[in-house]
Amino acid sequence: MLFTRTQKYQSSTAREDLKNRLVGHHVKIHNMDFEVIEKEQSLRIIPHAEQEEGIKTLPITKVEMKQDGNKMNVVVTSKMRKLDLGGPLLIVIFSSFLIAASVILMLVGGEIKISYALLGIGVAILITFFVRMQMGYYDYIRKIRNYVKSQMDFA
């Protein structure tokens, strides 16, 4: 999907040891509390956003661990909460529509000033959106991934 990030690691840490290091702990990122829970043979890192009053786009992270001999393969997958998905998806679709409309107007020989204005607005919205996502949503993902990585031992 568009807002999903996956990272793979190999660790020398035993599965149970890593699970014991992570399960039940809380991670604090930007004054937001994330809890690590065990669910269906994998770990989930979920945000506690009940007290949040502002609108935030937050990830739910799944940590899958598979033992392969004396090495363990760890896959960290972060997805946007379904509750938060509508707004960012709407922004991407709207700005894509503006860019497509400007290209179509240029191709059919429409008003060139309107075409460039639509193109500029669409690109400006996309750039602003992705910069804000890097400062918010993707920053949460990077910090959660670094937390999981810091709990592992590498050979």
Side-chain angles (χ1 to χ4, degrees):
M1 202 138 134
L2 188 61
F3 301 109
T4 301
R5 295 291 179 259
T6 301
Q7 188 74 34
K8 297 177 184 178
Y9 301 107
Q10 272 197 340
S11 173
S12 60
T13 309
R15 185 179 197 285
E16 290 301 317
D17 188 29
L18 181 60
K19 191 175 7 172
N20 289 337
R21 289 181 190 181
L22 292 172
V23 172
H25 290 101
H26 290 259
V27 183
K28 197 134 180 106
I29 302 170
H30 299 298
N31 295 323
M32 176 72 63
D33 185 42
F34 288 82
E35 183 179 5
V36 182
I37 60 171
E38 186 175 7
K39 186 175 181 183
E40 300 172 4
Q41 301 298 325
S42 64
L43 302 179
R44 301 282 170 107
I45 303 173
I46 58 171
H48 285 287
E50 295 86 23
Q51 298 89 7
E52 267 316 299
E53 294 183 16
I55 298 174
K56 293 197 181 259
T57 305
L58 300 169
I60 293 179
T61 304
K62 182 177 182 180
V63 180
E64 295 177 328
M65 301 169 286
K66 294 182 182 164
Q67 197 71 36
D68 185 25
N70 59 352
K71 296 281 185 189
M72 183 176 55
N73 296 321
V74 179
V75 179
V76 181
T77 305
S78 296
K79 293 182 180 180
M80 191 175 291
R81 297 185 307 172
K82 290 180 182 175
L83 176 70
D84 299 334
L85 190 58
L89 205 53
L90 190 63
I91 291 171
V92 169
I93 291 171
F94 177 71
S95 56
S96 299
F97 175 73
L98 285 176
I99 293 170
S102 70
V103 169
I104 291 171
L105 274 175
M106 285 181 197
L107 292 176
V108 297
E111 186 67 37
I112 198 75
K113 289 181 183 179
I114 294 174
S115 298
Y116 284 134
L118 288 176
L119 181 64
I121 291 169
V123 169
I125 290 172
L126 269 181
I127 289 172
T128 304
F129 171 70
F130 282 114
V131 166
R132 296 279 305 195
M133 289 292 282
Q134 287 296 326
M135 293 174 15
Y137 175 73
Y138 292 116
D139 191 41
Y140 285 116
I141 290 175
R142 283 189 296 270
K143 290 187 177 172
I144 289 170
R145 190 176 59 213
N146 287 339
Y147 172 73
V148 171
K149 192 175 174 182
S150 73
Q151 299 300 315
M152 290 189 282
D153 297 327
F154 295 99

